[in-house]
Amino acid sequence: MGGAVLTLSAAVIGSAVSLVSVLVTQRFTQQVHRREQDRIERHRREDLERARASRLLEERQAAYVRFSAAARTARDALAACMYDMRRAGTLEDTRREELKQRWDAYVAQHAETHIIASDEVLCAVGRVNGALRKIHGLVKRLDTGWQSPSDSVDALKEQIDDLWPGLVALREAMRCDLDLQQPAGQPAS
């Protein structure tokens, strides 16, 4: 009887050890699988975040290019108005229409840029926008005859000439925001 109990005990203990080892192995496999799934999910989220950041950077770059082009085109239209006023004293209807189209395009791009631009770029955008609006207003007053005594074609020329440093500062702010150049006065790393 003693040998049978010992054999039965050994069989029970052996079965219990086998079951425990199967359970431990299964748990370990589940933990490894869970860690692998977590790692895959983390990498997927990182990839999505990188793709989103890249897309936003591309969208910002495209918006900056469009705004810069629209601002320069508006400036060119305003300068053409200045030359017409100097020559003829007023604007022809075709020049007024051209100015309206370019100004409307500029205003639309300005609105888009406000949505996507960084705060640093918005400061430069605001300076350029303020200067362009002053010039646009002066052109309108000179064309309609509602000008003040200080309004003149010479004042218009001065304002248009003074716009260039703002456009250059805007371009530099945009390039810096896109990480295409170092801020002024900063050494390259």
Side-chain angles (χ1 to χ4, degrees):
M1 171 114 173
V5 171
L6 191 56
T7 302
L8 185 59
S9 296
V12 169
I13 291 173
S15 296
V17 168
S18 293
L19 284 174
V20 168
S21 93
V22 166
L23 288 175
V24 167
T25 302
Q26 184 180 10
R27 278 255 221 214
F28 178 75
T29 302
Q30 287 173 340
Q31 287 175 347
V32 167
H33 180 72
R34 190 176 319 117
R35 274 189 239 132
E36 182 64 18
Q37 291 302 316
D38 290 346
R39 185 185 67 75
I40 290 169
E41 181 61 23
R42 186 178 65 248
H43 285 295
R44 188 187 68 76
R45 283 191 311 265
E46 289 169 357
D47 289 346
L48 287 173
E49 184 57 36
R50 273 193 296 278
R52 180 181 172 277
S54 178
R55 189 182 72 250
L56 288 175
L57 183 64
E58 289 172 5
E59 289 174 7
R60 184 178 294 156
Q61 182 177 12
Y64 287 175
V65 167
R66 287 188 301 270
F67 179 75
S68 182
R72 287 171 187 265
T73 301
R75 183 236 174 248
D76 293 346
L78 292 165
C81 291
M82 176 193 65
Y83 292 120
D84 286 358
M85 286 181 184
R86 182 168 278 157
R87 183 180 39 77
T90 188
L91 298 178
E92 295 178 9
D93 288 339
T94 55
R95 182 67 74 195
R96 278 188 200 98
E97 184 58 32
E98 176 190 13
L99 177 61
K100 181 183 180 336
Q101 289 174 356
R102 290 184 178 188
W103 188 255
D104 290 347
Y106 165 75
V107 169
Q109 282 310 135
H110 179 260
E112 177 189 352
T113 301
H114 260 269
I115 292 171
I116 201 162
S118 68
D119 290 342
E120 295 79 15
V121 171
L122 282 177
C123 290
V125 166
R127 287 189 294 275
V128 166
N129 184 56
L132 280 170
R133 287 192 175 281
K134 280 178 62 177
I135 296 167
H136 185 257
L138 180 53
V139 165
K140 293 296 225 178
R141 288 191 307 276
L142 289 171
D143 186 42
T144 60
W146 287 88
Q147 67 261 22
S148 69
S150 63
D151 291 344
S152 68
V153 176
D154 289 336
L156 178 59
K157 180 183 181 336
E158 186 178 317
Q159 287 183 16
I160 289 173
D161 290 344
D162 289 347
L163 180 61
W164 277 115
L167 290 171
V168 169
L170 174 64
R171 182 193 69 217
E172 289 173 1
M174 288 175 172
R175 287 179 56 83
C176 186
D177 187 50
L178 295 171
D179 208 19
L180 298 174
Q181 79 182 30
Q182 294 293 324
Q186 297 250 337
S189 51

